[in-house]
Amino acid sequence: MSRPTQAHINLDALRFNYQLACNLAPQSQTVAVVKANAYGHGAVECAKALEPLAPALGVACIEEALQLRQAGLNKPILLLEGIFSADEVEIAARENFWLMVENTFQADAICQAKPSAPLRCWIKIDTGMHRLGLVPEQFNSVYQQLQTSANVHSPLLAASHFACADELKNATTEQQLQVFNTTIQGLDCPTSIANSAGILGWPQARSNWNRPGIMLYGSSPFEHSHAEGDKLKAVMTLRSAVISVRHVKAGDSVGYGANWNADKPSTIATVAAGYGDGYPRVIANGTPVLVNGQSCPLAGRVSMDMISVDVSHLNSVKIGDPVELWGENLPVNEIAGHANTLGYELLTRMPARPTRIYSDLN
Ligand SMILES: *Cc1c(COP(=O)(O)O)cnc(C)c1O
């Protein structure tokens, strides 16, 4: 007696993927990145599953960190973009939030505050992505400023972020590493560089602290097959069911805009999931949908609440039959490819509408 559209979240797979990140870098500490509602999977539930394993959690902003505190999570939480306004310094001190420091406004705000406890700071260096971070020429003075401030806990940490680590033949990553190493030369400070692609694909990028996000959710950051990336287990499986079945004649069209036409008499199953459930509207006709575990092509435009699937080649399809849109048996990256985007985007922009069902075998 309920709409069958649900996002099943496999917390064992989440822990498995986290452990894979740890095993690849046994000398590193591994921050579990759970920003953006844990890439759509539910920040609180995922953080609770990972907290016993992870020394720290990572989020984009203080609102996300406070949500975790209010839910009872106790580990340090790294704010990956640091503070947006000076009043956040005291909250961070009180709540044991660690701050990325990526510009001089943030450094000054930290040094001018009167926090109730010293803060842990990660200084971010712009090694070539040119989005966030201090340029190498600024690094030494900010490092000195923070190191001599009583508001800052030692040791300081030096961090950076890759622009192209998902492209394993791209020379940018080596260049960024070189800029990073030159910038911190002579300083004895811990470092953090690697995101998922760095951990999986660039052993030289693994350092004291790694910051995996997407890989925890079972989506490889690489476009092609990759020895380590292929070991990841899907965490979210978006499931629904057939809610209607009909036969159409050759020449009949299906859906809004009548943009799919039957080239022969066909059986069309209507499935209760659409763009209102996170299934992208731009996705192409012919995209695979699993009906009763069998691959069937999408037929016609994605509606808000429904899609239509050509099930002509299946023996019998009836109302209530199970459907998988992506997940365990149909990689989200493959579906993203049909929508001209990445697994990152499909997962992260998952709306709240499909109920999250958490399976926790532990
Ligand atoms: C989001 C984020 C990560 C995680 O990146 P993935 O590619 O998802 O592994 C790591 N570091 C920073 C600074 C981030 O913003």
Side-chain angles (χ1 to χ4, degrees):
M1 194 220 62
S2 62
R3 189 163 181 263
T5 311
Q6 299 173 332
H8 289 252
I9 310 294
N10 181 341
L11 297 175
D12 283 321
L14 179 70
R15 285 184 282 256
F16 173 90
N17 297 333
Y18 178 81
Q19 205 56 58
L20 183 73
C22 296
N23 293 347
L24 283 171
Q27 317 297 336
S28 309
Q29 308 251 55
T30 304
V31 177
V33 177
V34 295
K35 64 184 175 186
N37 196 28
Y39 293 50
H41 293 67
V44 169
E45 291 82 356
C46 292
K48 282 186 173 166
L50 292 171
E51 188 174 52
L53 308 174
L57 304 164
V59 297
C61 58
I62 206 159
E63 290 85 352
E64 293 179 341
L66 286 168
Q67 183 202 6
L68 296 179
R69 279 286 176 270
Q70 279 150 17
L73 290 134
N74 292 315
K75 288 276 169 77
I77 303 176
L78 171 64
L79 308 188
L80 291 161
E81 292 165 32
I83 55 167
F84 298 93
S85 58
D87 58 316
E88 295 177 22
V89 175
E90 172 51 24
I91 303 171
R94 204 169 58 219
E95 301 284 348
N96 196 18
F97 297 158
W98 299 354
L99 299 181
M100 197 71 88
V101 180
E102 72 89 15
N103 61 40
T104 55
F105 158 77
Q106 292 179 334
D108 293 342
I110 291 165
C111 293
Q112 287 159 15
K114 299 199 165 27
S116 50
L119 290 125
R120 287 204 183 262
C121 296
W122 294 24
I123 307 184
K124 186 161 189 175
I125 305 166
D126 178 2
T127 54
M129 187 166 180
H130 303 323
R131 185 181 62 176
L132 292 181
L134 299 156
V135 295
E137 297 72 40
Q138 288 176 303
F139 175 74
N140 271 315
S141 69
V142 175
Y143 186 89
Q144 292 306 327
Q145 178 192 8
L146 292 174
Q147 206 189 24
T148 52
S149 167
N151 293 351
V152 177
H153 203 294
S154 63
L156 279 168
L157 186 146
S160 193
H161 194 65
F162 287 136
C164 305
D166 56 320
E167 298 170 25
L168 292 164
K169 297 207 168 73
N170 194 317
T172 307
T173 301
E174 282 294 352
Q175 289 161 8
Q176 286 193 261
L177 280 167
Q178 216 159 53
V179 172
F180 185 79
N181 290 329
T182 306
T183 307
I184 64 163
Q185 207 161 29
L187 291 176
D188 183 25
C189 68
T191 62
S192 174
I193 311 166
N195 59 353
S196 296
I199 295 166
L200 292 163
W202 300 86
Q204 63 278 50
R206 300 168 190 155
S207 68
N208 303 89
W209 288 86
N210 297 330
R211 311 184 306 266
I214 193 72
M215 70 176 289
L216 304 181
Y217 308 100
S219 162
S220 167
F222 306 116
E223 188 180 345
H224 300 293
S225 169
H226 180 271
E228 298 303 332
D230 294 352
K231 293 179 187 164
L232 297 169
K233 295 186 178 174
V235 175
M236 178 192 295
T237 301
L238 184 57
R239 298 206 172 107
S240 187
V242 173
I243 57 166
S244 189
V245 182
R246 71 205 52 247
H247 301 287
V248 299
K249 303 187 297 290
D252 281 356
S253 64
V254 171
Y256 283 123
N259 91 334
W260 184 91
N261 292 282
D263 57 8
K264 57 179 187 327
S266 302
T267 309
I268 300 295
T270 306
V271 174
Y275 62 78
D277 303 291
Y279 196 77
R281 184 176 177 280
V282 297
I283 209 159
N285 266 328
T287 299
V289 177
L290 298 184
V291 179
N292 289 326
Q294 308 289 311
S295 181
C296 301
L298 183 75
R301 283 229 176 110
V302 174
S303 308
M304 184 188 295
D305 313 317
M306 286 167 273
I307 55 173
S308 300
V309 183
D310 181 357
V311 296
S312 305
H313 61 296
L314 301 192
N315 280 335
S316 78
V317 171
K318 56 186 188 310
I319 290 174
D321 282 356
V323 173
E324 178 177 327
L325 285 313
W326 67 63
E328 236 166 45
N329 305 296
L330 189 54
V332 68
N333 287 359
E334 184 183 333
I335 300 305
H338 290 279
N340 215 354
T341 184
L342 304 175
Y344 280 95
E345 186 182 356
L346 291 194
L347 295 173
T348 302
R349 58 179 223 160
M350 269 298 289
R353 192 187 202 194
T355 311
R356 308 298 197 268
I357 309 282
Y358 294 90
S359 68
D360 197 342
L361 304 177
N362 277 13

